[in-house]
Each structure stands twice: as structure tokens, then as C-alpha cells.
Amino acid sequence: MLLIKNAWMIDPGTGLEGKRDIFIRDGKIVSIEDSGRWEDREETTEAEVEQYDAEGLVAAPGLIDVHVHFREPGFTYKEDIISGSRAAARGGFTTVVLMANTKPVVDNPETLAFVLERGKETDIRVKSCCAITKGLQGKELTDMSALLAAGAAGFTDDGIPLLEESVALQAMEEAARLGAVLSFHEEDPAYITNNGIHAGRASAYFGIGGSEREAEISMVERDIRLAERTGTVVNIQHISTKEAVALLRDAKKRGVRIHGEATPHHFTLTQEAVITWGTLGKMNPPLREEADRLAIIEGLQDDTIDLIATDHAPHSAEEKARSITAAPSGIIGLETALSLGISSLVRPGYLTLKELIRKMTWNPARLYGLEGGCLKEGGWADLVLFDPEESYTVDGFASKSCNSPFRGARLTGKVKCTVCDGKIVYRDSRKD
């Protein structure tokens, strides 16, 4: 049993905000009451009740990230499900949804079962998407019905765009029939000479071709059109351009069942970061211009963009030490996501803290039909406790990898404790 006392609770599901005590037993929230009401109750005097005084801290639902890469099976020198889950807990995440671009690809019930079983060895809730197409080849659909029955959270060929319109249409029709969620990586290679670098000031600096913004725009246009035709629930992953935000906004006004996802690096950084940090600023889609960053923030403000997801993408130091064109794209993000949201969105006044939390908990939970994302009596005891005012320097990671341009950054908003299934799975002991 666990009693969290004196927390400033924010529940994006009900909109409730105030100072509360939260009593937890057997992985469930038993009671939420005004602060101080539990002091004299018999339950709190039992020896097995752990008490956590959260005075000065915010209690929110455990964060949910629907776009992470834990690299297992196949690339465990970068990350594995155990180390990735430790990084997630340190960042306040209690549920993650893994991508399918592993080796072997998660495109069959056997590989999915391996991933989910490994997830059960961790302290958090590990879900997984499966591939839309077999082997991520973009040709033949996986057996979505069988994979859903085996526990797939949704479907994506993330990392590789689904180029054939006929295959994308077939996938949407099948997903609509099954009530499944599809997530799309929107980059047409026809508009890309060197990926991971914006075709503009950044590509000119390195003397390479880069990635044109039309690479994203063209595919977002196509998939909105197909989603409108089929009625499929579609999530547009890691939006990077102002045009894609505008397309999504217009589609939502027409009632298309489309969702948008923003990463902390896309609402925080621009192409200047890759000029400054080199390969640590290289990612797909690339960091673009200030107008794009501001458009993403505006999309978050007006709910055009529903979700914040990290696209946590670990790579080894040796891989990132390669040249700008040879190094892989991607950065880790689980351990800095909440702080970046507070530092770059809440403190400047773009979002309220409640709005930020909603996009990192309630909205992703609703997309994938998860019970979490809220704090309610009888619900999952998954919480994050954090100090929204405490500043700290990013000086190390629980992840196996450290490929982040935020190393050494001074951020505000520090995770102090993460609770999953009623148990404390991370407690901050760092001194700054």
C-alpha cells in the first residue's frame, strides 16, 4: 500500500486540479481525498503502508509515449527493453508503445509475443505496434486480425514511409474494418537527397542536398485524403512542417479521424541545432525552420496536434561519430520530454501545465484505448510526481545510449518519483 500525501493533483480526464492525498492498494487507486483527510485513518498506521510526502510536487497520471524504439530484438547494443524501460520510468513514463522496426520485424505473433513477454520483465507497461506490411517492405499487408488478437496496440511501418498508395488504401480499409489505429511516417524519398537534414540553411552548411519539406507535405496530403475516404483512425507521426499542421487542421474541421503527433525536439529546436551539434541534431523528419517550430506549437495550442511523443531513438556513440551523411538519424527523448514540455511550452505561456499533461497522458491513452491517462478511484495506480519549478542540468541517462543534443542543457521540471501499478519504480536521488 502507498499513501501519497499533499500532492497538487492534475487529472486531465476530469479536469480536476487541487491538493489531494492519493491512497493506493493492489495496483489501484483506492481513494482520492482532500489533503490531510487520511492522517488519522487506521489504514495509514499499518506497517506495510509506505507514505510519500509530495508537498510542493505535482501528481499527474503516468506519462504515456506511443512512439518509442527499444531496439529489441536485433539491435540491443543501442537499447533493449529493460534499459529502455528504466529510461522511461526515469522520465515519468509508465506506458510505452514500441515501434516494429526491429530485427526480426514485429510482423508476426511470435515476435510480438517475445516483445510483450520481455516487457513483463520491466517495471512499466510495455505495449507494441506491429508492422503494417510484411518485413516493412511496403508490399503485402500483415495479418492485422491475428496480430490484434495477439496483443498488437496498433500498426505502423515507422522508419519507412508507405509509398504505394494502393497498399496504404488497402491498409486503411482493413484497419477501419478491424477498428485498429494506423500511424504513418510521412517522408517521400523522391524529395530527399540526404535524409535527416533540412534542405535549407542546414543542408547548405554541410554542402549536401538534404530533405525538402515537400517530402512530408505530399504524403500527409495523400494520407488525409485516404483517411477521409475510408473513415480510418490515422495518426500522423512526428510532424515537422507548418504545411502539414495546416493540412491536419483543415482535415479535422471536416471531421476526418486524423491525429497529429509532435516530438519535443520539433517544438524545441530548429535546423540551427544540427549546425551546432552535428549528428546529434540529425533526425527523421529533420529539424526545420523557426516558422515550422512555431506552427507546431500553434498546432499544440489549438489541438490540431493531439499528442506529444518522443520518438526515442537510441544509437551508439560510434554510430553517431560518423560523418553527417553516414550517421543514423534520431535522438533519445524519454528522460527529457516532460522537462522540455515545461521549459519550452508551459513556462513561455503556450500551454498550461494541465494542457501539456493531457497531450502526454489522456490523449495517447484514448487513441490506443488504454485504461491509463487519468487518476480516478478504482483506476490504474500509474502516476508521476514532479517539481514543475525545479531546474537541473541534463548530465546523464538511464538509457544505454546518450545521443541527445540536450546533454548539458539547463531544464526546468524535474521528475521526482514514478509509480506504476501501485509501486514506486523510480525515485530521484540526483543532486544538482
Side-chain angles (χ1 to χ4, degrees):
M1 290 183 281
L2 176 64
L3 174 62
I4 297 171
K5 303 187 297 183
N6 306 315
W8 186 263
M9 193 182 93
I10 298 178
D11 178 31
T14 62
L16 176 66
E17 186 170 356
K19 198 167 187 179
R20 298 289 189 275
D21 291 345
I22 304 168
F23 187 65
I24 295 166
R25 180 170 52 211
D26 298 328
K28 299 288 187 180
I29 296 175
V30 175
S31 179
I32 299 172
E33 299 198 27
D34 291 342
S35 185
R37 295 279 297 276
W38 275 91
E39 289 296 332
D40 299 322
R41 295 203 180 184
E42 182 178 345
E43 293 97 323
T44 66
T45 63
E46 296 180 25
E48 61 266 29
V49 176
E50 182 176 3
Q51 298 194 25
Y52 188 104
D53 189 350
E55 185 70 45
L57 305 183
V58 171
L63 305 182
I64 298 172
D65 192 343
V66 298
H67 188 164
V68 303
H69 300 268
F70 281 178
R71 307 302 192 195
E72 187 176 4
F75 306 100
T76 54
Y77 67 93
K78 302 173 188 264
E79 191 82 282
D80 58 49
I81 291 171
I82 303 300
S83 66
S85 296
R86 282 197 297 267
R90 192 183 192 209
F93 290 89
T94 55
T95 300
V96 294
V97 179
L98 309 186
M99 298 295 97
N101 58 340
T102 52
K103 187 177 181 180
V105 173
V106 187
D107 61 359
N108 60 83
E110 293 74 25
T111 305
L112 175 61
F114 168 81
V115 170
L116 296 181
E117 285 302 311
R118 281 285 280 164
K120 291 176 183 177
E121 299 175 26
T122 76
D123 291 327
I124 65 169
R125 303 180 194 274
V126 176
K127 313 292 183 182
S128 183
C129 280
C130 288
I132 295 174
T133 63
K134 292 182 179 179
L136 301 176
Q137 295 300 303
K139 302 298 181 182
E140 183 182 356
L141 295 188
T142 56
D143 187 342
M144 291 187 186
S145 179
L147 290 166
L148 283 174
F155 298 90
T156 180
D157 277 9
D158 178 56
I160 302 174
L162 193 54
L163 295 177
E164 294 292 336
E165 181 168 330
S166 60
V167 177
L169 175 60
Q170 184 184 2
M172 288 196 195
E173 289 173 338
E174 179 68 356
R177 183 182 74 83
L178 295 170
V181 178
L182 298 181
S183 293
F184 285 96
H185 181 123
E186 307 287 45
E187 287 192 292
D188 187 340
Y191 298 96
I192 301 172
T193 304
N194 303 100
N195 69 5
I197 309 296
H198 176 60
R201 176 170 153 74
S203 63
Y205 175 85
F206 290 105
I208 60 176
S211 172
E212 300 283 348
R213 61 198 312 111
E214 189 62 30
E216 177 172 278
I217 298 164
S218 60
M219 296 202 69
V220 171
E221 286 176 327
R222 183 202 74 180
D223 289 333
I224 286 175
R225 172 167 51 82
L226 296 181
E228 189 165 20
R229 174 177 168 181
T230 59
T232 312
V233 178
V234 170
N235 177 39
I236 304 297
Q237 295 176 302
H238 40 44
I239 292 172
S240 71
T241 62
K242 61 185 180 182
E243 292 87 352
V245 176
L247 287 166
L248 199 65
R249 181 177 290 114
D250 289 343
K252 286 194 166 191
K253 289 177 180 176
R254 299 196 305 272
V256 183
R257 301 175 72 190
I258 200 91
H259 298 268
E261 172 190 298
T263 69
H265 43 274
H266 283 112
F267 64 67
T268 302
L269 304 174
T270 68
Q271 63 182 335
E272 301 301 320
V274 73
I275 295 172
T276 301
W277 289 298
T279 62
L280 290 180
K282 180 183 179 182
M283 57 205 67
N284 297 340
L287 301 169
R288 299 198 187 270
E289 300 174 12
E290 177 67 1
D292 298 297
R293 188 184 76 86
L294 293 175
I296 291 167
I297 291 174
E298 185 179 352
L300 288 164
Q301 288 178 299
D302 67 10
D303 286 331
T304 296
I305 299 176
D306 320 84
L307 315 170
I308 292 172
T310 67
D311 191 12
H312 178 82
H315 294 294
S316 70
E318 292 77 13
E319 288 170 322
K320 278 294 190 177
R322 297 171 186 165
S323 71
I324 195 69
T325 53
S329 295
I331 64 171
I332 58 173
L334 285 163
E335 297 173 62
T336 52
L338 180 60
S339 301
L340 288 170
I342 292 171
S343 300
S344 299
L345 297 176
V346 176
R347 289 179 70 82
Y350 295 121
L351 296 181
T352 66
L353 191 55
K354 187 186 297 183
E355 289 168 338
L356 174 67
I357 291 169
R358 185 180 184 89
K359 292 179 187 295
M360 299 182 76
T361 59
W362 179 255
N363 287 356
R366 300 288 72 73
L367 176 65
Y368 280 103
L370 303 173
E371 184 182 341
C374 62
L375 298 176
K376 62 181 181 180
E377 293 181 356
W380 285 358
D382 292 1
L383 304 90
V384 58
L385 300 169
F386 63 94
D387 186 339
E389 303 298 330
E390 184 175 351
S391 295
Y392 70 101
T393 300
V394 180
D395 60 358
F397 299 101
S399 170
K400 277 188 178 182
S401 297
C402 58
N403 52 307
S404 170
F406 300 108
R407 284 187 298 175
R410 190 76 180 171
L411 301 179
T412 300
K414 193 176 189 185
V415 174
K416 308 300 285 186
C417 181
T418 304
V419 177
C420 186
D421 198 31
K423 299 180 285 291
I424 293 176
V425 298
Y426 170 75
R427 192 191 298 262
D428 178 48
S429 59
R430 293 171 291 175
K431 302 297 182 183
D432 194 50

